[in-house]
Amino acid sequence: MKPTIYDIAKVAGVSTATVSKVINNKGRISDRTKEKIYQIMDEMRYRPNVLASALKGKCTYQIALLIPDMDNPIYAQYLKHIEDRGQELGFSIVMCSTDNNPEKEAKHITLLRQKKVDGFIIASKFSNEELLSELLQDEVPVVLFAHERPEMAIDSVTVDDYWGGFMATEHLISLKHEKIGVIADDSISCRERIRGYTSALRSAGLSAEDNMIVITRSKMADAEIAAGTLLDLTDRPTAIFGCNDIMAIGVMQAARKRHLTVPDELSVIGFDNTQMCTIVVPELSSIAMPVHELGKKAIDMLIDKIERQANLKQNIKMPPQLVIRNSTSKKK
Amino acid sequence: MKPTIYDIAKVAGVSTATVSKVINNKGRISDRTKEKIYQIMDEMRYRPNVLASALKGKCTYQIALLIPDMDNPIYAQYLKHIEDRGQELGFSIVMCSTDNNPEKEAKHITLLRQKKVDGFIIASKFSNEELLSELLQDEVPVVLFAHERPEMAIDSVTVDDYWGGFMATEHLISLKHEKIGVIADDSISCRERIRGYTSALRSAGLSAEDNMIVITRSKMADAEIAAGTLLDLTDRPTAIFGCNDIMAIGVMQAARKRHLTVPDELSVIGFDNTQMCTIVVPELSSIAMPVHELGKKAIDMLIDKIERQANLKQNIKMPPQLVIRNSTSKKK
DNA sequence: TTGAAAGCGCTAACAC
DNA sequence: GTGTTAGCGCTTTCAA
């Protein structure tokens, strides 16, 4: 059997209280006993039972991460970086894939609250306002990740989607494109990116036409179809902004099927700067997220809330970066 | 405060034992009390505290998944399918990324054993034999995933790598290629795939030359360099088998840099059949894994071990499938 | 500086 | 059928 705190106490000739105190570095214990207990714990290969201490109200060192779509490599990246940082800090990540399905989201949340995870990082859409307010009310530590809810007082770490959309579009404008389409899904982030797009057009004195914006599901095949509708217009755009790399690649595929060469006949730019950008031909220009920093920040913020019960709301917004590759070029 | 089993017992006018019995569906309880207790639990929105019951030796409904490399989309796929199945069964997945680093593997294992996860699915390399035997000795439920250890009595669910390697090579041979290279990493799976490759060559009466096999790290850039050495040979191969899609794409990039067109001047085939296959140009032929079945099987097997303490060793090996796309063609 | 003891929420053996 | 009770391994208050 694994040794318990009792075994240690017995061998050390002290009470469990004393052992507990040295484990948690609390109360005043003489250096001598401390020393001795450490040594005995070491010898007996003692490992505290996290369950028992959690039952007494301590934390479980587990964090749940809700992720919408594992098919999009950007989420694998987020997961990786969040897990990395969690690992450094002794926190494990419980991974929940949701497909943006509110039922799945709710199921995960209830289940994991039962299992007493210490907090949630939510990268999923989470349209269930009610559940969200419930979490806030119960003071469950939550940070929204990669999308925000400005209307709710809730912590978040996001990228500046507006600015990303602006930069992407501005880049296309700088290449003399005037008719620029955009393919997006109906997420909040995409709405922001579109806002950036519109704003960039306006700033350049171009008109933002409604029929240049098409919303669809965030799947490559859907994006391809959506791009098709744009490309089949008699007055087709000469450049398209895909609101994430998956969609941008869908656009490239639509172009290929129509024998339009990228970038000569159509410029395409994506968003997220995933590994996919460098394997397509031509390589895809994109907007890079500071994935590592985003992940780190989210965990750090959450753990801060967990451990210090810090409760001031923070909304961190990091700047994305334009990465120019070969899918965008001067309008011919 | 959240209601406990005591609260329910009090309201129902019974003892906690009775409530516990109806929760766990054990012992004989009259339908009337059962009914009543259910109703009260419902009304009070009672949720059993998993920690407390786990402290009594029950399971935590948590499974750890050790994954080597989140940059390879095949692992994101595995994770997704394993999580999906776990979700259906009420088990949460604790995700551990290891980079195949033995230290990280060990750290995760010890930490999560402390946290009392019910079992481990190990897709990481796990070269630490000692740790593995320790797990077996302590009867911790473990299933090896996507790679096996025939020499150790340990459950596993894998794909038939040998057969996959054989099929890939045979496909190239059927296209009249005679000089076929292979790029692989030093994992056990890849060794099997190479064994299949060698065997296919032999069956066709072709010689397997050592200098056609190059082992490197499983990164695109490394594979590209490795492929380069092959392609720069005066007697270069006319086809290359990349032991996973990442590496195969590295091969395609090496070819592009040398102005060799795929498939006309060089046929390339990958392994895993990830989404990447359909976004590269030309689309990459590959060997498809039954990802969904693999994931499901692994979880089901593990849970079986957890719940029934089933202890007979099983090694499940599933057949992969050849998917022909446009990166392979008849030798010109 | 240390210890006794109550209790976190639940389960299970045993008694009735 | 149902209740009593002793823990699971730990933390923490209070007393010494």
Side-chain angles (χ1 to χ4, degrees):
Chain A
M1 270 311 287
K2 290 199 138 197
T4 73
I5 202 171
Y6 284 97
D7 301 317
I8 305 300
K10 197 180 296 168
V11 174
V14 299
S15 76
T16 59
T18 308
V19 180
S20 173
K21 276 171 200 152
V22 340
I23 292 171
N24 297 293
N25 230 325
K26 273 189 175 175
R28 23 212 89 262
I29 305 289
S30 73
D31 284 352
R32 254 170 34 84
T33 24
K34 231 182 219 171
E35 206 51 39
K36 188 169 166 192
I37 289 176
Y38 274 134
Q39 198 188 322
I40 294 177
M41 293 200 297
D42 227 49
E43 277 167 16
M44 303 185 64
R45 300 166 147 278
Y46 170 74
R47 303 269 160 233
N49 182 329
V50 183
L51 255 43
S53 81
L55 187 55
K56 291 291 297 184
K58 300 230 139 180
C59 60
T60 54
Y61 297 98
Q62 307 220 81
I63 288 174
L65 173 62
L66 269 67
I67 279 201
D69 175 14
M70 281 305 291
D71 291 339
N72 187 338
I74 190 69
Y75 289 110
Q77 285 304 306
Y78 286 150
L79 174 53
K80 176 196 163 112
H81 287 101
I82 287 177
E83 205 275 338
D84 268 6
R85 180 62 177 165
Q87 201 176 139
E88 278 176 36
L89 272 31
F91 280 74
S92 310
I93 305 300
V94 179
M95 191 277 195
C96 313
S97 114
T98 66
D99 301 318
N100 277 328
N101 174 342
E103 277 172 42
K104 279 199 188 180
E105 292 171 346
K107 224 175 125 187
H108 272 125
I109 299 274
T110 23
L111 186 61
L112 288 166
R113 287 191 66 183
Q114 261 176 76
K115 295 188 184 170
K116 308 287 179 199
V117 299
D118 298 326
F120 293 87
I121 296 181
I122 301 182
S124 185
K125 196 171 169 190
F126 221 81
S127 33
N128 191 337
E129 309 277 339
E130 216 173 315
L131 198 54
L132 204 51
S133 348
E134 198 181 307
L135 286 173
L136 294 183
Q137 210 164 17
D138 296 355
E139 302 202 309
V140 178
V142 173
V143 357
L144 254 33
F145 187 77
H147 72 298
E148 58 187 331
R149 284 291 169 75
E151 77 282 11
M152 303 190 79
I154 184 162
D155 300 71
S156 63
V157 3
T158 61
V159 86
D160 192 334
D161 288 304
Y162 169 83
W163 180 231
F166 192 97
M167 280 197 297
T169 313
E170 194 182 47
H171 170 59
L172 296 172
I173 295 171
S174 77
L175 295 169
K176 306 296 178 210
H177 292 279
E178 297 180 336
K179 198 150 188 86
I180 300 173
V182 54
I183 311 278
D185 65 29
D186 69 343
S187 65
I188 300 177
S189 316
C190 278
R191 277 211 281 280
E192 279 300 290
R193 292 170 195 180
I194 292 177
R195 213 163 59 76
Y197 152 91
T198 313
S199 171
L201 286 179
R202 295 246 168 81
S203 314
L206 297 169
S207 66
E209 295 156 52
D210 277 354
N211 72 338
M212 282 293 113
I213 301 177
V214 14
I215 307 294
T216 182
R217 291 195 321 148
S218 188
K219 296 285 165 199
M220 205 174 286
D222 293 296
E224 184 180 331
I225 295 170
T229 64
L230 244 34
L231 294 177
D232 293 340
L233 252 34
T234 45
D235 193 17
R236 73 164 178 83
T238 61
I240 295 183
F241 167 31
C243 273
N244 62 223
D245 290 343
I246 301 249
M247 298 185 109
I249 292 174
V251 173
M252 289 176 75
Q253 300 196 325
R256 183 167 312 118
K257 291 226 173 107
R258 286 162 182 75
H259 305 289
L260 293 171
T261 64
V262 175
D264 290 349
E265 295 168 274
L266 180 74
S267 282
V268 180
I269 187 166
F271 203 114
D272 287 347
N273 194 39
T274 55
Q275 198 189 22
M276 296 185 298
C277 294
T278 61
I279 70 175
V280 290
V281 180
E283 294 192 1
L284 183 63
S285 298
S286 193
I287 301 290
M289 316 282 250
V291 254
H292 183 260
E293 292 76 7
L294 281 170
K296 179 170 182 314
K297 199 70 209 168
I299 280 272
D300 288 354
M301 209 156 125
L302 189 64
I303 292 182
D304 210 59
K305 287 172 66 109
I306 292 168
E307 297 193 327
R308 284 198 234 321
Q309 266 117 336
N311 215 5
L312 49 161
K313 297 297 167 213
Q314 285 187 72
N315 295 87
I316 297 200
K317 193 170 271 188
M318 299 192 177
Q321 223 171 354
L322 174 65
V323 178
I324 301 177
R325 296 203 179 82
N326 309 319
S327 64
T328 44
S329 72
K330 207 150 219 163
K331 183 185 156 196
K332 298 258 160 86
Chain B
M1 271 309 286
K2 289 200 142 201
T4 73
I5 202 172
Y6 285 96
D7 302 317
I8 305 300
K10 197 180 295 169
V11 175
V14 299
S15 76
T16 60
T18 308
V19 179
S20 173
K21 277 172 199 152
V22 340
I23 291 171
N24 298 292
N25 230 324
K26 275 188 174 175
R28 24 213 85 264
I29 304 289
S30 74
D31 284 352
R32 254 171 34 86
T33 25
K34 231 182 220 171
E35 206 48 40
K36 189 170 165 190
I37 289 176
Y38 274 133
Q39 199 190 320
I40 293 177
M41 292 200 299
D42 228 48
E43 276 168 15
M44 303 185 66
R45 301 167 146 278
Y46 169 74
R47 302 271 162 232
N49 182 328
V50 182
L51 256 43
S53 82
L55 188 55
K56 292 289 298 182
K58 299 233 141 179
C59 59
T60 54
Y61 297 98
Q62 307 220 83
I63 288 174
L65 173 61
L66 270 66
I67 279 201
D69 175 16
M70 282 304 291
D71 291 339
N72 187 339
I74 190 68
Y75 288 111
Q77 285 303 305
Y78 287 150
L79 173 54
K80 176 196 162 108
H81 286 103
I82 287 176
E83 205 274 339
D84 268 7
R85 179 62 177 164
Q87 200 176 138
E88 278 177 37
L89 272 33
F91 280 74
S92 309
I93 304 300
V94 180
M95 193 277 194
C96 313
S97 116
T98 66
D99 301 318
N100 276 329
N101 174 342
E103 275 171 43
K104 279 199 187 179
E105 292 172 346
K107 221 174 126 190
H108 272 126
I109 298 274
T110 24
L111 186 61
L112 288 166
R113 286 191 66 182
Q114 261 176 77
K115 293 188 184 170
K116 308 288 179 198
V117 299
D118 297 325
F120 293 87
I121 296 181
I122 301 182
S124 185
K125 195 170 169 191
F126 221 82
S127 32
N128 191 336
E129 310 277 339
E130 216 173 315
L131 197 55
L132 203 52
S133 346
E134 198 181 306
L135 286 173
L136 293 184
Q137 212 164 16
D138 296 355
E139 302 202 311
V140 178
V142 172
V143 357
L144 253 34
F145 188 77
H147 70 301
E148 58 188 331
R149 283 292 167 76
E151 77 282 9
M152 303 189 80
I154 185 162
D155 300 70
S156 64
V157 4
T158 61
V159 85
D160 192 334
D161 288 304
Y162 169 84
W163 181 230
F166 191 98
M167 281 197 299
T169 313
E170 195 181 49
H171 169 59
L172 295 173
I173 295 172
S174 78
L175 294 170
K176 307 296 178 211
H177 293 280
E178 296 180 338
K179 197 146 189 89
I180 301 174
V182 55
I183 310 277
D185 64 30
D186 68 345
S187 65
I188 302 178
S189 315
C190 277
R191 278 212 280 281
E192 280 299 290
R193 291 171 195 181
I194 291 176
R195 215 164 57 75
Y197 153 89
T198 312
S199 170
L201 287 179
R202 295 246 169 80
S203 314
L206 296 170
S207 67
E209 295 157 52
D210 276 355
N211 72 340
M212 281 293 113
I213 302 178
V214 12
I215 307 292
T216 182
R217 290 194 323 147
S218 189
K219 296 283 165 200
M220 205 173 288
D222 294 294
E224 185 180 330
I225 295 169
T229 65
L230 244 33
L231 294 178
D232 293 341
L233 254 32
T234 45
D235 192 18
R236 72 163 179 84
T238 61
I240 296 183
F241 167 31
C243 272
N244 62 222
D245 289 343
I246 301 249
M247 298 185 110
I249 292 173
V251 173
M252 288 176 75
Q253 299 195 325
R256 182 166 315 118
K257 292 225 173 111
R258 286 163 181 74
H259 304 291
L260 292 170
T261 63
V262 175
D264 290 349
E265 296 168 272
L266 179 74
S267 282
V268 180
I269 187 167
F271 204 113
D272 287 348
N273 194 40
T274 54
Q275 198 189 20
M276 297 184 297
C277 293
T278 60
I279 70 175
V280 291
V281 180
E283 294 193 0
L284 182 64
S285 298
S286 193
I287 302 289
M289 315 282 251
V291 253
H292 183 260
E293 293 77 7
L294 281 170
K296 181 172 181 312
K297 198 70 208 169
I299 280 273
D300 288 354
M301 209 156 125
L302 189 64
I303 292 182
D304 210 58
K305 287 172 68 108
I306 292 167
E307 296 193 327
R308 284 197 235 320
Q309 266 116 338
N311 214 5
L312 49 160
K313 298 295 168 214
Q314 285 188 74
N315 295 87
I316 297 201
K317 194 170 271 188
M318 299 192 178
Q321 223 170 355
L322 174 65
V323 178
I324 300 176
R325 296 202 179 82
N326 310 320
S327 64
T328 45
S329 72
K330 207 152 220 163
K331 183 186 157 197
K332 298 260 161 84

